[in-house]
Amino acid sequence: MPDKQLRIAVLLSGGVDSSVALRLLHAAGHSCTAFYLKIWFQEDFENFWSECPWEEDLKHAKAVCEQVNVPLEVVHLTDEYWTNVVSYIIKEYRSGRTPNPDVLCNTRIKFGAFMDAISSMEYDFIASGHYAKVVHSSNHIDNASELKLSEDMVKDQTYFLSHLSQAQLKRLIFPLGCISKDEVRKLAARFDLPNKDRKDSQGICFLGKIKFSEFVARHIGEMEGVILEAETGDFLGNHRGFWFYTIGQRQGLRLPGGPWYVVEKDTKYNAVFVSRNYFTVDKRRRLFRVGSLKWLTGAPPTEISQLRCKVRHGPGFYNCSLSLELGENGQEDVAVVQLPEDDQGLAAGQFTAFYQDRTCIGSGVILESWNDQGFPVCQKALEIARMEDKSKLGKPVKIKVKPDGTAG
């Protein structure tokens, strides 16, 4: 970061991370203005809340700013959020895919719609409390900026930032990229922040205090379907709609003799296929396709045989290689990704982020299985799923328990 004083727009959520980021920039002598993004759906979910969920966040944000006399502005982006993120999420779930709202929130709202909203204000950079590093070259205008892993590999959030454009990246700084979470907590205490003891927020960025199942039920609805064992076609029970389930899911099935896992979904006939053999069947899910590719430099890497990737948020990486081919529309590139081992939880709609050493170079969206890459569902199960009158199935089968305690 340049030594001169900078004008910085700081995204402030009311949480500890963004508050410490603000205080570090302020302590370094930069001219900061804090911005709180209001994107809650309090009108849609007023029956679920006894009070507006954003009021507490905003109260903490104001208190943090008042400590050091930093101006705070509230930016209303609910309409933009609905159009650019929530509508996409609903569409993806209806199609049987599992989208990642946090990636979209960063790309389309925090560093998309918000950047557009303050474009007339002459800020040098936009800052937030993300755990990641952005390295800008001395010739900031002409050379590409790089997105690097955080020092705290557990908290690292480059996965959620991997779909940004180079134009967005050039305007960003992340003060917490060189600091561990433990150190952030210590700094919060040293600064005596009014929210220093506040717990970290969890889950999807826009849901706040709403359970995700409630959000899905409100906006997509419920439709009863059958749960079938993938290997036998046995009718095991009913579900509320395939969109409530993702591949690899174990929670919420409420079947005895488990653990049971969701292994496939039939989105046309609203059937969910499950198995107890999720981790024993060779699903060959070390090969998968990724579309909607976005490279942070604007172009794919020249060396694609020795990369690393993340298929979900967390400290774990895979070594990988990829090849690029034309997609079904003949225009957009699709990456065929090869892993050295099987991953049991690859879900269409999730993002895969690619890395060269400690540099995140871009990401894309995992596409549906192809060439029999999915879990092997027996013909009987497929035929039952397509039955028009499911009432003919009668009652679910009684799952027997084997002597060793497992169902059979």
Side-chain angles (χ1 to χ4, degrees):
M1 187 185 299
D3 294 330
K4 67 176 184 177
Q5 185 189 58
L6 299 170
R7 292 190 70 230
I8 301 176
V10 184
L11 285 170
L12 195 62
S13 66
V16 173
D17 292 338
S18 61
S19 300
V20 170
L22 172 67
R23 288 297 300 269
L24 288 172
L25 293 169
H26 180 267
H30 299 298
S31 175
C32 299
T33 300
F35 291 86
Y36 176 84
L37 304 186
K38 188 180 172 190
I39 53 176
W40 297 98
F41 291 89
Q42 67 274 16
E43 294 85 2
D44 267 0
F45 290 98
E46 59 186 5
N47 293 332
F48 289 97
W49 291 325
S50 58
E51 58 185 26
C52 292
W54 50 266
E55 284 184 347
E56 184 180 359
D57 291 334
L58 188 54
K59 179 186 73 175
H60 285 293
K62 287 179 177 177
V64 169
C65 290
E66 287 170 358
Q67 257 191 336
V68 284
N69 199 28
V70 167
L72 173 66
E73 296 188 25
V74 178
V75 181
H76 296 259
L77 294 176
T78 295
D79 290 343
E80 291 83 353
Y81 202 90
W82 181 267
T83 301
N84 295 316
V85 178
V86 181
S87 295
Y88 174 86
I89 292 168
I90 293 170
K91 179 183 176 183
E92 287 292 281
Y93 270 103
R94 280 179 173 153
S95 300
R97 293 181 287 272
T98 307
N100 192 303
D102 296 281
V103 174
L104 297 172
C105 181
N106 288 322
T107 305
R108 301 183 179 185
I109 301 300
K110 292 178 182 176
F111 308 124
F114 172 66
M115 277 188 174
D116 294 339
I118 65 167
S119 60
S120 61
M121 307 176 193
E122 296 182 356
Y123 288 103
D124 297 302
F125 289 101
I126 294 170
S128 71
H130 283 92
Y131 286 85
K133 297 180 191 175
V134 181
V135 177
H136 302 296
S137 66
S138 55
N139 186 349
H140 180 60
I141 303 300
D142 296 330
N143 294 335
S145 297
E146 294 184 324
L147 179 62
K148 300 276 191 179
L149 291 169
S150 165
E151 290 301 312
D152 191 325
M153 292 298 292
V154 174
K155 293 295 293 183
D156 178 74
Q157 291 174 304
T158 52
Y159 176 84
F160 295 132
L161 300 163
S162 61
H163 218 55
L164 295 173
S165 68
Q166 180 63 208
Q168 290 171 314
L169 199 62
K170 278 183 178 292
R171 299 192 61 191
L172 301 180
I173 52 175
F174 300 127
L176 306 188
C178 298
I179 306 173
S180 69
K181 179 66 181 185
D182 288 343
E183 185 62 25
V184 168
R185 283 288 178 186
K186 291 176 183 177
L187 286 169
R190 193 179 307 162
F191 289 137
D192 194 26
L193 293 177
N195 58 352
K196 61 187 177 184
D197 296 321
R198 202 175 186 204
K199 293 181 180 180
D200 293 339
S201 61
Q202 300 291 331
I204 299 168
C205 55
F206 70 88
L207 285 179
K209 297 177 176 65
I210 290 299
K211 290 182 180 179
F212 181 66
S213 59
E214 292 174 348
F215 171 82
V216 173
R218 173 67 69 92
H219 289 286
I220 303 180
E222 298 184 13
M223 183 169 66
E224 187 176 85
V226 293
I227 299 175
L228 303 172
E229 184 172 21
E231 295 91 341
T232 65
D234 283 347
F235 170 44
L236 304 182
N238 295 300
H239 61 79
R240 296 190 295 157
F242 69 80
W243 43 86
F244 287 97
Y245 303 92
T246 187
I247 303 299
Q249 180 174 332
R250 173 180 171 180
Q251 304 295 327
L253 289 172
R254 299 178 181 176
L255 296 175
W260 293 89
Y261 296 86
V262 176
V263 295
E264 288 292 341
K265 297 183 290 186
D266 188 323
T267 60
K268 182 177 181 180
Y269 296 98
N270 191 28
V272 172
F273 303 103
V274 299
S275 173
R276 294 188 302 269
N277 301 314
Y278 190 54
F279 291 101
T280 57
V281 173
D282 179 11
K283 298 183 294 302
R284 291 183 292 167
R285 290 294 277 152
R286 62 181 63 189
L287 187 69
F288 60 99
R289 297 181 304 160
V290 175
S292 301
L293 293 165
K294 186 178 285 186
W295 305 106
L296 285 163
T297 61
T302 54
E303 176 55 63
I304 58 177
S305 62
Q306 293 181 327
L307 300 176
R308 296 196 296 168
C309 70
K310 288 187 179 189
V311 295
R312 60 186 60 85
H313 170 59
F317 288 90
Y318 284 116
N319 293 322
C320 72
S321 62
L322 61 87
S323 58
L324 297 175
E325 58 184 41
L326 283 179
E328 294 178 0
N329 59 13
Q331 299 176 341
E332 185 182 79
D333 279 346
V334 169
V336 179
V337 183
Q338 177 79 48
L339 304 179
E341 59 189 278
D342 291 325
D343 184 282
Q344 306 291 339
L346 293 173
Q350 289 284 295
F351 281 79
T352 296
F354 299 102
Y355 297 79
Q356 286 180 324
D357 297 320
R358 294 186 64 86
T359 302
C360 180
I361 59 174
S363 67
V365 179
I366 298 174
L367 302 176
E368 281 84 357
S369 303
W370 91 118
N371 292 345
D372 298 322
Q373 295 295 313
F375 193 97
V377 178
C378 74
Q379 188 61 33
K380 178 184 175 183
L382 294 174
E383 290 174 357
I384 292 174
R386 293 163 187 163
M387 287 175 55
E388 288 190 16
D389 185 4
K390 300 290 198 308
S391 65
K392 294 179 180 179
L393 292 174
K395 293 182 179 181
V397 301
K398 184 176 181 180
I399 301 171
K400 298 179 182 179
V401 179
K402 294 179 180 178
D404 62 1
T406 61

